[in-house]
Each structure stands twice: as C-alpha cells, then as structure tokens.
Amino acid sequence: MTARWVVAALLPIAAPAAAEDPASSLAAWHGSWSGEGTAFGKAATATLIIKATPDGEATALAYRLAVPGTPPIDYVAEAIYRVDANSRVRGGWTDGSGRTRPIGGRVAGSEWHNHWGSADVEIGRSTYVLETPDQMIVTDSVLKDDGSWRVFATLRFQRTP
C-alpha cells in the first residue's frame, strides 16, 4: 500500500463533518438494543447502545457480541459516527484489542450502511436496517479476495427500555 493511499483512506476520518441535518442523522437508531442471531456460524447474542455524544455533534455506539463455544467469543467495540447534510457517515471503530478501523457510509431512510477497514487488513460492511422503530436487523460482511462478500454475522435486535 502506498503512503498516498493511506492518507486518502484516513482523510474522511480526520476531516470535520458538515453540520448534521436532523433528517439525515442517526437519531432513529439511538437507544439500547438486545439481539440474537448467528456470528461465525454459531448462535450469538449481542447488545448495542447507540446515543448522542455528550456534545451532541456525533453518535456513539457501544457493541458487545457473545458467541458461546470453545473457545467462546466475547467481542467488544466502540465507534463514533458523524453524519453530514448529505447523509454521508464518517467515523472510526475501535475494538477491545485496540484495533481501529475507519468508517464511511450513508443513511438512507430506515437503512444505515457502513463500509469499514482498509485494504491492508480487511474491508467489511455493516448494515443496520430498522424494520420497525423498535426492531432492527444488523448484517456484517467481509470482502473476499474474489470481490464477493461473505456474511459473518446476522443479528435481530429489539429495542430495550
């Protein structure tokens, strides 16, 4: 990977986002969520807490995924997202092991799409679809060498009090 590509990949994260337009914000996703489904081919549970940052200028997400088994998977991550007036999403994701990934995406109605990662490690996508105001399905995929996507997690979430 060239240094020029690295700089180009990180610019969207470093650049300040335009003022957030309420119509293109992530407010519909804000709340506490509990989910069940599959991850890495096994039954899984997860929680999401999505809320405005203290300054109100971004959205913070806290994620925890549990996959029982041998060995069990207990994955945690946090992210910060900013949405501009054109519904473009920019942000960064950091997991419990300290790995970080840049994020770029888009909000379109009841769908929130993110692409994350970089070509030197992995590229993935996450889609958050509000089926109702209190139900959401989240699908996570990774880009394969042949250009196709492999789904590695699908979880159905219910908003919790």
Side-chain angles (χ1 to χ4, degrees):
M1 172 177 10
T2 67
R4 192 173 322 151
W5 190 92
V6 171
V7 170
L10 294 176
L11 279 176
I13 304 307
E20 189 171 317
D21 177 352
S24 65
S25 77
L26 297 173
W29 285 268
H30 287 187
S32 295
W33 300 85
S34 179
E36 295 181 349
T38 59
F40 310 105
K42 298 178 181 179
T45 59
T47 58
L48 279 167
I49 298 172
I50 306 170
K51 62 184 181 180
T53 57
D55 63 9
E57 295 191 15
T59 293
L61 178 147
Y63 178 66
R64 174 171 230 115
L65 173 72
V67 182
T70 307
I73 297 171
D74 188 22
Y75 178 81
V76 296
E78 295 181 345
I80 299 290
Y81 304 94
R82 287 179 171 67
V83 181
D84 69 17
N86 294 316
S87 300
R88 292 178 302 223
V89 177
R90 301 283 185 262
W93 177 277
T94 303
D95 69 21
S97 69
R99 290 181 298 187
T100 61
R101 292 176 177 86
I103 298 170
R106 177 165 290 291
V107 176
S110 63
E111 297 185 7
W112 167 20
H113 303 273
N114 292 322
H115 281 85
W116 43 264
S118 59
D120 62 328
V121 180
E122 68 181 347
I123 296 173
R125 67 180 179 193
S126 297
T127 303
Y128 302 76
V129 178
L130 290 171
E131 296 178 315
T132 72
D134 294 326
Q135 295 178 334
M136 168 174 58
I137 187 164
V138 178
T139 305
D140 296 307
S141 306
V142 66
L143 185 63
K144 294 173 31 174
D145 290 339
D146 67 5
S148 65
W149 292 94
R150 179 181 56 82
V151 174
F152 66 86
T154 302
L155 294 131
R156 290 191 164 281
F157 286 86
Q158 179 73 39
R159 194 181 298 269
T160 59

